[in-house]
Amino acid sequence: TQLLEQSPQFLSIQEGENLTVYCNSSSVFSSLQWYRQEPGEGPVLLVTVVTGGEVKKLKRLTFQFGDARKDSSLHITAAQPGDTGLYLCAGYSMIYNQGGKLIFGQGTELSVKP
Amino acid sequence: NAGVTQTPKFRILKIGQSMTLQCTQDMNHNYMYWYRQDPGMGLKLIYYSVGAGITDKGEVPNGYNVSRSTTEDFPLRLELAAPSQTSVYFCASRQVNTEAFFGQGTRLTVV
């Protein structure tokens, strides 16, 4: 079984601070995805990272895929209250015959206070 | 654009009752998924399907059953509901090498 471990599980910060969320595995993934979920809604995709070492930026959000494709990070610069939500990393299983399985980490609950 | 539609949105079940959570998608996606999400937690995969007629177990399949007779529909059946099945259930679909699209969720309480 491939697992994705996210840390921290909870993060409460003040507006304007920076933060980093980590997504780690002992297994290699062909790609990793980051989703954001707001209360009462389903997750929505933020980004997919595919190449080892890849860095993608989405306004104040920076996503990185580890060189070995076993880990990823999400860095938010100058967090705003609108960034509040649950952040989830996800990846497709690379176990033989389970390539369709999409697994998620436990999530990071982010609260940004004004 | 309907996307992924789940019904019902809310349901209260008594212990031992059965029900079916409906999921339909209009994007002609091959892959469909059922997840459960407990408060403040990530998504745990219950069952998934890579196409009509093909289903497979996820991480937490016990107490649930699924079928995939058409591309569009992927119902989740709960037999003999238990309090441990109180959760929010999400259905999702995707095409090859694309993101997953989620429904709005079904909030189920078993009392």
Side-chain angles (χ1 to χ4, degrees), chain A residues 1 3 9-10 33 35 37 40-45 48 86 88 92 97-107 109, chain B residues 31 33 35 37 40-45 48 50 56-59 90 94-95 97-105 107:
Chain A
T1 302
L3 295 174
Q9 193 172 350
F10 300 99
Q33 299 178 336
Y35 290 78
Q37 184 180 22
E41 303 285 333
V44 176
L45 182 74
T48 301
L86 182 67
L88 298 153
Y92 295 109
N97 230 20
Q98 294 185 11
K101 184 185 287 190
L102 176 60
I103 58 176
F104 282 80
Q106 314 97 304
E109 188 81 53
Chain B
Y31 297 86
Y33 304 85
Y35 295 91
Q37 185 175 38
M41 301 297 288
L43 300 166
K44 293 185 179 177
L45 182 62
Y48 69 105
V50 300
D56 209 345
K57 295 178 181 179
E59 305 161 275
F90 285 99
R94 72 174 178 97
Q95 198 46 288
N97 293 329
T98 68
E99 69 189 272
F101 293 87
F102 286 81
Q104 294 272 320
R107 187 175 297 274

